[in-house]
Every structure is written in structure tokens, then in C-alpha cells.
């Protein structure tokens, strides 16, 4: 009697080195980023000066699974002779984006135009409208350019669009970012009257225009969210991970300055803010300041939500309508954080 097993441990792993990874978005556009496989189970993702350390890379037969730190997004792909092919997945939102990687390639965007590129450095006043929804809002672009290479960010009243990296190719610009929470691509021409497009994964896009304005500033944050008429204080009562209700009326907050953070574990800006508060707390432990984070999650169960919150808390050392319903004294919940 001869017994044969059909299962075996994977012998396929990613080769060490650089990979150009591309996500397919709308309008036949591609959103690229560069990663560097540093060992069998670790890699780095690059967005301008940001380096994301990934230490959850695992294998099964001929497939690789890359879990981004803190955020739920992950890549599931089949390893090929030249890289891998598969999907970027966010299960809680039922989103799947096709992804493909080519090894030994660290060129984020190729340059097609040999002419000197238009200079996009400086501050830009931006207006976003149309596209996948009717939302209209303003932004502030801040960019640095060296030759064809372009980097910077776009700030809005609800946060920033992270560490953008790309190129100016003649008079065409392309910028992208990938961090496991966001997969953004911005394309357009360096011309005030030209149509530009902002893609988020393959599910959403937005039109925007921009003009140079070195003195442009976004509206003051203090004017955006405030107590509505009829309310004289900010109040809430929510459970922590142990089921204990936390309220601003608790003794631990009495006669203390208390900072309330409205956040979510899916939000990179919230992670930045949490790191800042953690550092401040460790350096000012003698001061009567308390911090409370109200996390509004998109997880399908409370257990998964608290798991993600705990991971974010460890890493730092969405639903705005729901947040508005839970905090009725505010005129609106505009952003996270």
C-alpha cells in the first residue's frame, strides 16, 4: 500500500530585492509603488521619505500574503517567475484591487518626455469637485521637485493625503502613495486650466483643479467643529476593551485638561496623532493631562474592532455619520482624527 500526500510545505518565496508593484485603478490607469524584500518574511514599502516596515509576510504553496502593519489591507498573490500577481484586499469594505509586481525594478514612474519638465515646486490652492460623489472641498498642495522627481503632500480640512511620490514628465504630473490603508493616485497637467484626477483604489475618483498661491492657507481648524446651540458641554459614555464605560464625568478626568481624539484604526492620520500624544505623555508624565481616544471602526464585529485598536495602540508605543450620531453636541464630525 502506497500513501501519497498532496500537500507540502511551500518552496516558493519572494527573492530579495526591489519590486515595482502596480495596482489597477479606474480609466486603465495604474498606481505604482516600490517595495524592497529584505528577508523571507520582511520587506519595506517606500513613499517619498516614508519607509513602512512590514514584518508579516507568509507563504502557502505558490502564494504570498503580505499584511501591512496596523491597517487591515493585505496583498494575496501567486508568485511568478518575474514577481507576483494577485489582489490587494480590504475585507471590511469588500474591496479587491488587482495587483502585479515586477522584481528588479525600482522605477516608480517611467519618464517618456525627454524635454525639461515643468516646475511644480511650491504651494498650490486646490479645489476638489465632481467624480464619484458630489462632495466639494478645498486643499493645499505642497510640493518639492528635483529634475523629474516630485514629492510632497496635499492637505485638506479632513487630513492630508500622506507621503506622495512621483514625477513630472514634460507638463504631466503623476503622484502615488500606498500604505495599506490608502492607495492613492493623482494625475494631471501642470496648468491651472487643465482637468486633474484623484483616484482612490479602483472604487472612487475625484476631479480637481489647482493654481499657484504661495500664501494660501486652509480654514482654521477652530472654525470647523464646535458645540451646537443648546449644548453647553462635550459629553459621552462609551465602553473600553474590557466593557467598562468611560465618561468625561469619571473621577480620573476631574480638574484635568482632557484631550479627546476622534479616530479609527484604519486612519493613517490618526496613527500619526496617536504617536504624537504617546510621545507627549511619556515626556510630560508630571502634568495633569489625560487623553481619550474614541475609535469609530468599520470592522464587522466588536471583537475585530478592538483587536485593531489594540494593534494600533501597540504600534504607536469609519464612520463619520455614526460618530455624529454618538456625539450630537457637535455641529458635525468632519474628519478623523
Amino acid at each position: 500500500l502506497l500513501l501519497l500526500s498532496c500537500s507540502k510545505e511551500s518552496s516558493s518565496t519572494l527573492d530579495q530585492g526591489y519590486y515595482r508593484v502596480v495596482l489597477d485603478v479606474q480609466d486603465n490607469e495604474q498606481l505604482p509603488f516600490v517595495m524592497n524584500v529584505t528577508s523571507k518574511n520582511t520587506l519595506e514599502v517606500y513613499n517619498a521619505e516614508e519607509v513602512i516596515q512590514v514584518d508579516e509576510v507568509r507563504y502557502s504553496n505558490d502564494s504570498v500574503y503580505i499584511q501591512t502593519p496596523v491597517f487591515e489591507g493585505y496583498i494575496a498573490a501567486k508568485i511568478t517567475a518575474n514577481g507576483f500577481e494577485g489582489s490587494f484586499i480590504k475585507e471590511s469594505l469588500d474591496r479587491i484591487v488587482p495587483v502585479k509586481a515586477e522584481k528588479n525594478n525600482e522605477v516608480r514612474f517611467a519618464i517618456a518626455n525627454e524635454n525639461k519638465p515643468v516646475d511644480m515646486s511650491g504651494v498650490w490652492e486646490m479645489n476638489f469637485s465632481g467624480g464619484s460623489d458630489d462632495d466639494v472641498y478645498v486643499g493645499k498642495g505642497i510640493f518639492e521637485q528635483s529634475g523629474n522627481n516630485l514629492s510632497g503632500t496635499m492637505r485638506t480640512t479632513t487630513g492630508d493625503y500622506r507621503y506622495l511620490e512621483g514625477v513630472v514628465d514634460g507638463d504631466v504630473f503623476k503622484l502615488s502613495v500606498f500604505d495599506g490603508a490608502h492607495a492613492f493616485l493623482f494625475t494631471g497637467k501642470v496648468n491651472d486650466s487643465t482637468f486633474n484626477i484623484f483616484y482612490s483604489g479602483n472604487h472612487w475618483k475625484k476631479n480637481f483643479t489647482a493654481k499657484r498661491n504661495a500664501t494660501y492657507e486652509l480654514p482654521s481648524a477652530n472654525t470647523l467643529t464646535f458645540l451646537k446651540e443648546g449644548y453647553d458641554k462635550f459629553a459621552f459614555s462609551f465602553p473600553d476593551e474590557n466593557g467598562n464605560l468611560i465618561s468625561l464625568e469619571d473621577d480620573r478626568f476631574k480638574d484635568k485638561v482632557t484631550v479627546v481624539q476622534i479616530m479609527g484604526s484604519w486612519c493613517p492620520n490618526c496613527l500619526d496623532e496617536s504617536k504624537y500624544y504617546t510621545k507627549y505623555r511619556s515626556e510630560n508624565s508630571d502634568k495633569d493631562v489625560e487623553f481619550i481616544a474614541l475609535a469609530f471602526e468599520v470592522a464587522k464585529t466588536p471583537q475585530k474592532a478592538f483587536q485593531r485598536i489594540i494593534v494600533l495602540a501597540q504600534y504607536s508605543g469609519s464612520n463619520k455619520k455614526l460618530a455624529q450620531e454618538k456625539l450630537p453636541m457637535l455641529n458635525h464630525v468632519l474628519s478623523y482624527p
Side-chain angles (χ1 to χ4, degrees):
L1 178 64
L2 179 64
L3 298 177
L4 298 177
S5 173
C6 295
S7 63
K8 63 179 182 178
E9 290 298 317
S10 170
S11 59
S12 299
T13 59
L14 294 177
D15 294 334
Q16 292 189 30
Y18 288 93
Y19 290 71
R20 181 178 188 262
V21 186
V22 174
L23 283 70
D24 292 335
V25 296
Q26 298 183 55
D27 303 331
N28 294 317
E29 292 283 355
Q30 293 187 322
L31 186 165
F33 66 93
V34 174
M35 73 179 198
N36 180 20
V37 176
T38 53
S39 74
K40 177 181 176 181
N41 302 111
T42 62
L43 59 85
E44 297 175 338
V45 174
Y46 304 117
N47 299 297
E49 67 266 33
E50 179 185 48
V51 180
I52 300 173
Q53 304 287 342
V54 179
D55 59 7
E56 292 187 58
V57 181
R58 61 183 181 87
Y59 302 89
S60 178
N61 298 321
D62 61 353
S63 299
V64 61
Y65 298 85
I66 303 171
Q67 176 63 62
T68 56
V70 181
F71 311 116
E72 71 159 318
Y74 66 92
I75 292 172
K78 180 179 179 180
I79 299 173
T80 64
N82 196 40
F84 60 75
E85 292 186 39
S87 301
F88 170 59
I89 301 168
K90 297 181 76 172
E91 292 182 356
S92 68
L93 299 174
D94 297 320
R95 291 176 184 165
I96 300 176
V97 184
V99 63
K100 184 176 182 178
E102 179 185 4
K103 65 182 179 183
N104 301 322
N105 185 348
E106 53 185 300
V107 178
R108 197 180 193 99
F109 292 99
I111 300 298
N113 193 324
E114 297 181 355
N115 296 325
K116 182 179 180 181
V118 175
D119 184 14
M120 195 171 161
S121 298
V123 176
W124 294 74
E125 179 181 347
M126 296 180 160
N127 287 277
F128 295 80
S129 62
S132 297
D133 55 40
D134 296 326
D135 195 19
V136 177
Y137 59 95
V138 296
K140 179 180 179 179
I142 306 170
F143 304 113
E144 294 182 359
Q145 185 174 339
S146 176
N148 293 102
N149 296 321
L150 183 67
S151 62
T153 194
M154 299 178 188
R155 297 175 181 170
T156 73
T157 55
T158 63
D160 65 65
Y161 290 150
R162 312 306 297 156
Y163 297 88
L164 301 176
E165 180 179 351
V167 297
V168 179
D169 188 6
D171 63 350
V172 175
F173 74 89
K174 295 183 178 182
L175 289 161
S176 67
V177 62
F178 175 86
D179 58 17
H182 295 147
F184 290 165
L185 172 68
F186 297 84
T187 67
K189 288 193 173 183
V190 191
N191 184 316
D192 286 353
S193 62
T194 302
F195 210 48
N196 307 307
I197 303 179
F198 164 25
Y199 298 93
S200 178
N202 60 358
H203 68 281
W204 185 90
K205 68 179 181 179
K206 195 76 173 173
N207 308 321
F208 70 96
T209 58
K211 63 180 180 180
R212 291 186 186 274
N213 185 347
T215 62
Y216 179 69
E217 294 293 343
L218 293 170
S220 170
N222 294 329
T223 67
L224 299 176
T225 301
F226 47 83
L227 289 179
K228 294 191 297 187
E229 186 174 350
Y231 290 91
D232 60 3
K233 65 179 181 179
F234 184 65
F236 60 84
S237 181
F238 293 129
D240 64 11
E241 69 273 20
N242 298 313
N244 301 315
L245 288 179
I246 306 298
S247 167
L248 281 177
E249 303 301 319
D250 294 347
D251 289 341
R252 61 180 287 193
F253 306 119
K254 187 176 181 180
D255 299 326
K256 293 182 180 180
V257 173
T258 303
V259 178
V260 180
Q261 177 192 21
I262 300 175
M263 52 82 74
S265 65
W266 41 265
C267 165
N269 287 146
C270 302
L271 176 59
D272 293 344
E273 186 184 37
S274 296
K275 288 180 177 179
Y276 174 83
Y277 289 154
T278 299
K279 181 180 179 183
Y280 178 90
R281 183 72 177 270
S282 66
E283 295 175 350
N284 298 273
S285 57
D286 59 325
K287 295 184 179 179
D288 285 337
V289 179
E290 292 283 352
F291 294 87
I292 307 175
L294 304 183
F296 291 86
E297 296 297 300
V298 293
K300 294 182 178 179
T301 67
Q303 291 77 14
K304 287 187 176 181
F306 277 118
Q307 286 174 2
R308 293 175 187 167
I309 294 167
I310 291 170
V311 169
L312 182 141
Q314 293 171 339
Y315 196 78
S316 63
S318 92
N319 185 327
K320 297 176 187 176
K321 182 179 179 181
L322 175 60
Q324 182 65 67
E325 292 173 354
K326 299 296 184 179
L327 302 170
M329 71 291 300
L330 298 179
N331 64 316
H332 59 192
V333 175
L334 181 64
S335 69
Y336 293 81

